[in-house]
Amino acid sequence: MAAPVAENNQQAGNPAQWSSRFAFIMAAVGSAVGLGNIWKFPYITGENGGGAFVLVYLACIAVIGLPLMMAEVMLGRRGGKSPIGTMTSVAASEERSKGWAGIGIMATLAAFLILSFYSVIAGWTMPYILSAVSGDFSGIAAEESGALFGGLLASPGELLLWHSIFMGLTVLVSAGGVRHGLERAVTKLMPALFVLLLILVGYAMTTGHFGEAVSFLFKPDFSALTAEAILVALGHAFFTLSLASGAMMAYGAYLKKDVPIARTSVVVAIMDTGVALLAGLAIFPIVFAHGLEPGAGPGLIFVTLPVAFGQMAGGSFFATLFFVLLLFAAWTSSISMLESLVSYLNEKGVSRVKAAVGGGLVAWLVGVTTVLSLNEWSGFTPLDMFARFEGKTLFDLYDYLTANIMMPLGALLTAVFVGWKMKPEHSAAELGGWHRLWFPIIRYLSPIALLIVFYFNLK
Ligand code: PFF
């Protein structure tokens, strides 16, 4: 049986600790960069009119997301345990109610629920890699591409297969532990991902429509901005930075004392944002070059891009690169979703292998209901009696519950805890000189902004 996570993660050579600042950055960026950046960001930007939405999103990252990330990493390192263990021990050392452990419990549940459906979507990349390699996209028309995607979603067996393989990959890394599993995977996969992305942006520059994409992404047209879009931007800022789901707290617990948290978090947020923008710069020129629709929605990269790849020289190669990239990105995120639970079980004496396999199995089982929501159970909308949930399948409900309720609520509670309940000297000891800037933001600005979001969201 593997040793439980050490009481004190600060011993030299501790296998339950990142070996370097670089390893932490790769792990945290690996968690942050995922389907959110490459699949979701481009399509929600397309749906919400481009530049103005991007600007609001950047503001949400800088003003709310980044300070919260610093708070979570700081709490994680102070507690040195799983998110549940960390919140329990930090609340105790601050002489606050045990109830604050609820932040850790909700984060662990949110991450677990996200993992269950994330694995299903991430699974889609694998049949796309196979189709790309075998040249299936060559010359494909928009209807055929739509039918291909529709066919995949309509087939529970196929979805189940890819979902199972993806969950297996996640469990495999997680079971390996912090240094031998997580760190080894992220320090190889993340640099590969950056190279792949740059190759794709390089290609997009040759399409003759790069300038059009740049102005779509960066020229704000505020008339295209709606109140709903602002909520979408904020929700996405949490999701893309892996906040309020324990990932950053769990990873912070494996961070050495001498790594500067604030500066490192800034690097992570910049890299995450950079990847989202680069993904936009890789995708939109291709979309525009082929006269396709930027607002196509969730199918943007699965329906639209294959058409574009099918028309370009070397399309099979670039399509393969693209979907491999997406798979890597999703994989380094999913392992961080499982970490909150695995580290908690590990603390309770369950071995890492058993915790990863058990957690993965239950998440897989919940994921099966998402698979079915896309086809056999697409008419099963159990909460129709509430107007807010009308017409939502189980998958829609998991997504709504995590993104619109659990994550903003967890973020609000975290901001209140570190801003009002924790002694400022304690947070200052972790954050150094940045504390003076960070503290008023997390104490006043973040909670107010989050309350406004709740008001509009639940109104
Ligand atoms: N940040 C990931 C993405 O953008 O795809 C999603 C995510 C990872 C959410 C880890 C939550 C989490 F704990």
Side-chain angles (χ1 to χ4, degrees):
M1 194 171 88
V5 167
E7 270 296 300
N8 170 8
N9 277 331
Q10 300 298 326
Q11 319 149 4
N14 183 349
Q17 194 179 54
W18 308 118
S19 64
S20 63
R21 177 172 182 239
F22 172 75
F24 172 76
I25 292 178
M26 288 300 108
V29 173
S31 168
V33 170
L35 296 171
N37 305 60
I38 302 169
W39 168 64
K40 199 163 183 193
F41 173 76
Y43 93 71
I44 59 177
T45 299
E47 280 181 336
N48 289 288
F53 174 81
V54 173
L55 209 63
V56 173
Y57 164 74
L58 293 179
C60 291
I61 294 276
V63 178
I64 303 174
L66 179 58
L68 201 71
M69 182 188 293
M70 293 178 184
E72 293 195 8
V73 178
M74 180 268 288
L75 285 168
R77 184 162 72 183
R78 236 185 133 65
K81 294 186 179 157
S82 70
I84 298 176
T86 282
M87 285 314 300
T88 308
S89 81
V90 176
S93 66
E94 297 294 325
E95 292 165 5
R96 299 293 179 181
S97 150
K98 270 195 199 140
W100 289 103
I103 293 180
I105 296 172
M106 193 164 65
T108 305
L109 279 175
F112 186 74
L113 211 51
I114 293 172
L115 174 62
S116 77
F117 63 79
Y118 200 86
S119 167
V120 176
I121 304 174
W124 299 349
T125 59
M126 291 183 263
Y128 271 73
I129 293 171
L130 295 183
S131 296
V133 171
S134 42
D136 290 355
F137 300 145
S138 142
I140 197 173
E143 304 79 63
E144 288 171 86
S145 180
L148 208 67
F149 186 55
L152 173 65
L153 297 196
S155 160
E158 219 184 317
L159 290 176
L160 202 62
L161 170 72
W162 303 119
H163 165 50
S164 310
I165 295 178
F166 186 82
M167 194 63 88
L169 289 173
T170 305
V171 167
L172 198 69
V173 174
S174 183
V178 178
R179 202 170 285 182
H180 302 297
L182 307 191
E183 179 169 326
R184 229 176 30 184
V186 295
T187 49
K188 291 197 178 65
L189 292 177
M190 291 316 289
L193 184 139
F194 291 126
V195 173
L196 293 185
L197 190 57
L198 289 177
I199 294 176
L200 279 170
V201 174
Y203 171 79
M205 283 177 165
T206 67
T207 57
H209 288 73
F210 196 70
E212 205 178 323
V214 170
S215 58
F216 179 72
L217 283 171
F218 299 110
K219 225 166 86 191
D221 166 13
F222 285 99
S223 66
L225 195 66
T226 59
E228 166 80 20
I230 299 176
L231 294 181
V232 173
L234 184 69
H236 188 61
F238 291 134
F239 185 80
T240 191
L241 292 178
S242 309
L243 299 176
S245 37
M248 291 299 162
M249 221 183 262
Y251 279 7
Y254 311 138
L255 191 59
K256 288 187 176 133
K257 278 287 178 216
D258 57 354
V259 174
I261 288 177
R263 257 194 307 140
T264 306
S265 301
V266 172
V267 172
V268 173
I270 289 178
M271 290 179 81
D272 180 68
T273 309
V275 169
L277 296 177
L278 283 175
L281 288 175
I283 291 166
F284 286 116
I286 300 178
V287 169
F288 292 136
H290 296 278
L292 302 165
E293 184 47 57
L300 181 69
I301 63 168
F302 289 100
V303 178
T304 310
L305 278 186
V307 177
F309 285 129
Q311 294 175 15
M312 67 173 70
S316 298
F317 172 73
F318 288 111
T320 309
L321 268 191
F322 181 82
F323 289 107
V324 167
L325 176 107
L326 196 58
L327 175 61
F328 282 7
W331 192 12
T332 54
S333 294
S334 64
I335 56 181
S336 74
M337 292 172 201
L338 199 51
E339 192 56 23
S340 302
L341 183 68
V342 169
S343 57
Y344 175 70
L345 293 175
N346 202 197
E347 256 159 38
K348 294 284 164 209
V350 181
S351 77
R352 251 199 104 87
V353 175
K354 278 195 190 133
V357 172
L361 210 60
V362 181
W364 175 85
L365 212 61
V366 179
V368 173
T369 64
T370 285
V371 164
L372 294 171
S373 296
L374 296 169
N375 36 68
E376 310 284 328
W377 293 1
S378 61
F380 180 50
T381 52
L383 297 183
D384 276 349
M385 57 281 207
F386 306 104
R388 175 175 303 279
F389 302 126
E390 209 181 320
K392 289 200 186 311
T393 62
L394 285 177
F395 170 35
D396 297 333
L397 290 171
Y398 303 149
D399 185 27
Y400 188 93
L401 182 66
T402 49
N404 296 17
I405 299 174
M406 294 171 97
M407 287 176 132
L409 184 61
L412 176 65
L413 292 173
T414 306
V416 169
F417 183 78
V418 297
W420 297 87
K421 302 289 173 186
M422 193 172 175
K423 290 184 191 65
E425 311 85 87
H426 293 166
S427 45
E430 297 284 340
L431 291 173
W434 284 74
H435 189 265
R436 283 178 50 190
L437 178 65
W438 171 84
F439 192 66
I441 297 180
I442 206 84
R443 186 173 165 96
Y444 299 109
L445 194 63
S446 308
I448 292 171
L450 287 163
L451 283 172
I452 295 175
V453 171
F454 262 111
Y455 175 75
F456 282 106
N457 221 343
L458 298 179
K459 174 166 84 121

